[in-house]
Amino acid sequence: TIYKILTRISFGKPIPVVCFNGARGIWVDTGKIERSIFNNSVPKDIVDKVLGLAQERNQVVQYYLEDGIYANPTNDNHHKLVRRYHELTGSVQKIVTDNFEKVATTSLPAKMLILCEKEDMHDTLSSFTECMSAQAKVFEGTPPFFIEILRQGVDKGNGVKCLCEKLGIDAQKCVGYGDGINDIEFLQYVGHGVVMKNARQIVKDAGNEVSEYSNDDDGVARHLEKLFQLQ
């Protein structure tokens, strides 16, 4: 999704991007990856545990590689959840039928998602958290119909920290925007964290400022216009 956005904006030069919830930092130019800045993929033993438990629980997985998102729906409900994620993010998943056997031997994922119904969220989160035994980061997605699984220690805050250190940028001079639980570390790390109006209270408490606008009201764009006095 970020590649499409950067292509539309067309900065005219490579842009450093932190993506996959902070797991990877890359230089992107007109929607194409130029080179890697850092890479913190999910370890192979965690990948195997996630795929094994998901298969045992009959749940659909999304597997994130640089060339796209792979998903393994096997029934109508799985396909409905995959479509719902597509409608939420605009991402187009690539469907696999071999439980990721081929793609898993090609590259390790930046992150993995388990899609589920809202009423199954608590049980899904508890089961995968217990299975990982603190070897991976497991948390609820926003909105709550999926959980995310990352390498232990990976989050957006750490991703921005890695990017700033690699490029010699003072994080205290950075402004960050967020609305989800997975934005909390990021909002706390940068010099000024701006939280969208639609965020949960726990996220609002992590920022320095709460916007009067939501994502649907173009809250980030409106704040940037104000910040750079473009209004």
Side-chain angles (χ1 to χ4, degrees):
T1 303
I2 188 64
Y3 307 146
K4 293 179 182 178
I5 292 173
L6 290 176
T7 297
R8 283 164 51 195
I9 295 175
S10 186
F11 284 101
K13 61 181 180 179
I15 298 296
V17 175
V18 175
C19 52
F20 300 119
N21 266 35
R24 288 184 183 164
I26 52 179
W27 284 99
V28 178
D29 187 15
T30 59
K32 297 180 180 179
I33 298 175
E34 291 291 313
R35 61 187 183 277
S36 176
I37 301 173
F38 64 87
N39 185 354
N40 292 310
S41 300
V42 181
K44 180 67 165 57
D45 60 329
I46 298 300
V47 171
D48 292 341
K49 281 186 177 182
V50 171
L51 294 180
L53 182 58
Q55 190 168 33
E56 180 183 319
R57 292 173 55 86
N58 190 29
Q59 290 184 294
V60 60
V61 179
Q62 290 195 165
Y63 191 103
Y64 287 67
L65 296 178
E66 286 189 354
D67 69 340
I69 304 171
Y70 294 80
N72 66 337
T74 59
N75 58 45
D76 289 344
N77 189 54
H78 287 175
H79 282 281
K80 182 183 74 173
L81 289 167
V82 168
R83 285 195 300 273
R84 183 178 175 188
Y85 191 85
H86 162 69
E87 291 166 0
L88 174 69
T89 65
S91 302
V92 179
Q93 302 96 322
K94 302 178 181 181
I95 305 302
V96 301
T97 57
D98 62 353
N99 201 34
F100 303 101
E101 288 182 8
K102 290 183 180 178
V103 294
T105 59
T106 302
S107 182
L108 293 173
K111 69 175 183 177
M112 303 173 77
L113 261 60
I114 309 297
L115 307 181
C116 63
E117 298 292 350
K118 184 176 181 180
E119 57 267 27
D120 298 325
M121 174 61 70
H122 177 72
D123 182 57
T124 299
L125 184 61
S126 297
S127 296
F128 279 88
T129 299
E130 182 179 351
C131 179
M132 297 304 107
S133 300
Q135 295 176 312
K137 184 169 185 176
V138 184
F139 59 95
E140 180 181 311
T142 304
F145 72 96
F146 59 92
I147 66 169
E148 301 199 32
I149 300 170
L150 298 163
R151 186 187 193 101
Q152 188 60 263
V154 169
D155 56 54
K156 291 184 181 180
N158 189 59
V160 173
K161 180 176 183 290
C162 289
L163 183 73
C164 288
E165 289 176 348
K166 293 282 186 180
L167 303 183
I169 297 171
D170 182 357
Q172 290 305 301
K173 295 181 180 179
C174 295
V175 177
Y177 299 90
D179 70 333
I181 290 176
N182 62 343
D183 294 319
I184 290 177
E185 294 91 349
F186 164 56
L187 291 164
Q188 292 174 331
Y189 180 73
V190 296
H192 191 76
V194 183
V195 186
M196 296 297 101
K197 182 180 179 180
N198 57 284
R200 301 183 196 180
Q201 190 59 47
I202 188 174
V203 184
K204 292 178 179 178
D205 292 342
N208 303 101
E209 175 186 352
V210 178
S211 172
E212 61 183 300
Y213 301 105
S214 69
N215 282 345
D216 292 337
D217 300 322
D218 298 323
V220 175
R222 288 175 182 271
H223 192 276
L224 285 171
E225 287 179 341
K226 178 181 177 181
L227 184 66
F228 291 102
Q229 299 180 337
L230 300 176
Q231 294 176 317

